[in-house]
Amino acid sequence: SSPESTYMDFHAVRARAGIVNIIVWIAIMNVWVIHAPNFFPILYPIIAFEYLVAATFGIASFAPISIMSTVISYVFHKTPNWKPARPMRFAWCIGFALATCILAIYLCRELLGSAFKPLITAFLAMLNLATWMESSLGFCVGCFIFNYAVVPLCGLEECVECKLN
C-alpha cells in the first residue's frame, strides 16, 4: 500500500508518546539530580531504534515501546482510532533528530562546560513538550509541521483528516 493509504491506531500512538514522555522526564532528572554517567549512551539506542523502526514500519512493529503501546491501547480501547500514518512518520523522524541532538550534546558535555546542562535540558524539554502534547492533548506537533510546512513546500497532497479547522 502507498504511504497515503497507510493508517495507524492513534490510541497506540498516544500511549507510545506517553511512555517516551516518562523516559524523557527520567532523562531530565538524570541531568539535574541523578547524574548516571552511562544513562544517555544506553538510552539513545533504544529511543533511536524506536523512532526509526516506527517511522519505517509503523507503530505495531518490533520496537519494544511500540509493542507495549499497542498492547496498552488494546486493553483500554478495543476499537482503534485510525489516523493517517504519513504525518506521524514525519513526526517520528523529528523525534529521531531531537534524540540524536541530545546524544551529541551529551557526548560534547566536556567541551560545552557550563552550557551543557541548559542546552541538553532545552532539547529534552522540546521532546518532553512534544510527547506530552501528543499523549495528553492528542496534538502532534510533527504532524502540524508536516501539514502546514512540508505539504505546501513539497507540493504534496494535504492530509484532510489531519487539518485543524
Side-chain angles (χ1 to χ4, degrees), residues 57-139:
F57 301 108
I59 191 84
S61 58
F62 50 89
I65 297 171
S66 292
I67 293 168
M68 283 192 316
S69 66
T70 301
V71 170
I72 290 168
S73 71
Y74 181 76
V75 168
F76 290 103
H77 303 282
K78 299 285 187 211
T79 306
N81 178 11
W82 299 113
K83 298 279 184 171
R86 193 175 204 182
M88 287 183 257
R89 288 182 169 173
F90 174 79
W92 295 332
C93 290
I94 294 173
F96 173 76
L98 278 172
T100 302
C101 288
I102 290 165
L103 178 67
I105 293 166
Y106 173 78
L107 294 174
C108 295
R109 66 190 178 284
E110 307 248 336
L111 181 67
L112 292 167
S114 63
F116 166 70
K117 281 187 177 184
L119 188 59
I120 200 165
T121 301
F123 277 83
L124 285 166
M126 284 188 272
L127 191 54
N128 185 289
L129 181 61
T131 56
W132 176 82
M133 289 176 73
E134 185 159 20
S135 65
S136 300
L137 305 176
F139 178 77

Side-chain angles (χ1 to χ4, degrees), residues 2 6 10 19 36 39 47 60 77 79-81 90 97 102 120-121 125 131 141 147 152 154 159:
S2 68
T6 307
F10 197 56
I19 294 168
F39 183 79
I47 296 296
H77 303 282
T79 306
N81 178 11
F90 174 79
I102 290 165
I120 200 165
T121 301
T131 56
V141 175
N147 288 316
C154 296
C159 174

Side-chain angles (χ1 to χ4, degrees), residues 11-78:
H11 296 306
V13 172
R14 289 181 72 177
R16 181 177 175 273
I19 294 168
V20 173
N21 186 263
I22 291 167
I23 293 169
V24 174
W25 273 114
I26 295 168
I28 291 170
M29 291 296 296
N30 187 64
V31 169
W32 292 97
V33 180
I34 303 167
H35 308 292
N38 294 325
F39 183 79
F40 288 102
I42 291 170
L43 184 65
Y44 174 76
I46 296 167
I47 296 296
F49 179 76
E50 181 69 35
Y51 277 123
L52 282 177
V53 168
T56 306
F57 301 108
I59 191 84
S61 58
F62 50 89
I65 297 171
S66 292
I67 293 168
M68 283 192 316
S69 66
T70 301
V71 170
I72 290 168
S73 71
Y74 181 76
V75 168
F76 290 103
H77 303 282
K78 299 285 187 211

